[in-house]
Amino acid sequence: MASRWDYLFETKPVPLMDHMLEEVAKLLAKDLQQWPPPVQEIDLDVGGQFATLFTEPPPRPARAVYDEALRLSRWELAREIDAYDDYMRNKRYLERGLAPTDRLVLLFLNRWLVDHMLGLGEATEGRVNRRLMLQCLDRLEGRLRLVQTPFS
């Protein structure tokens, strides 16, 4: 008869990179629970357009805005510039059920996600490459789908 600890010895170890990506996805999902998500600072020259999201925050965006921000972030990290450009130029987000007023929030969430992924790559000295960043976004999306509130 096997002891209750035998299960631990029989399981395969989780590779360190997989564990790290899961933990990053968990942290980002936690940050996205609040609106607006936390930022360290806003460079008014670069991100000044987003300042109103912090001074006069609009209500929490719909779940579809988060989904579309993940889509844009994937394209940006995969360097699918034509897809990104077509989406924004032709306002494809309107076809996805977003309102014209969601554009600023969509761009902010996209920028927030991409900045976090690129920061992760920088912090790991390139060990987390764009392919792994995309995997992290997939894990984040999975975690967000599990959360019913406040996205429902």
Side-chain angles (χ1 to χ4, degrees), residues 129-140:
N129 57 26
R130 288 177 182 259
R131 180 184 56 80
L132 293 172
M133 291 174 198
L134 291 168
Q135 287 180 22
C136 189
L137 288 181
D138 291 342
R139 291 169 189 248
L140 173 60

Side-chain angles (χ1 to χ4, degrees), residues 37-125:
V39 296
Q40 290 181 354
E41 63 182 274
I42 296 178
D43 181 353
L44 294 178
D45 293 333
V46 176
Q49 66 189 18
F50 303 126
T52 58
L53 296 176
F54 296 93
T55 57
E56 306 162 16
R60 175 179 288 287
R63 176 57 205 249
V65 177
Y66 290 86
D67 292 340
E68 294 305 303
L70 282 163
R71 175 191 312 275
L72 289 175
S73 299
R74 280 189 188 93
W75 285 338
E76 191 167 342
L77 290 172
R79 295 185 173 115
E80 295 181 25
I81 305 305
D82 292 337
Y84 190 102
D85 183 52
D86 176 69
Y87 184 91
M88 294 308 294
R89 184 174 9 114
N90 295 308
K91 300 180 181 179
R92 304 269 187 231
Y93 52 90
L94 298 175
E95 298 168 8
R96 300 276 184 179
L98 275 58
T101 55
D102 290 329
R103 184 178 188 278
L104 182 63
V105 173
L106 173 66
L107 291 173
F108 167 73
L109 286 172
N110 166 231
R111 184 81 272 125
W112 189 88
L113 289 165
V114 169
D115 284 352
H116 275 78
M117 290 297 100
L118 294 176
L120 177 62
E122 195 174 297
T124 60
E125 298 176 350

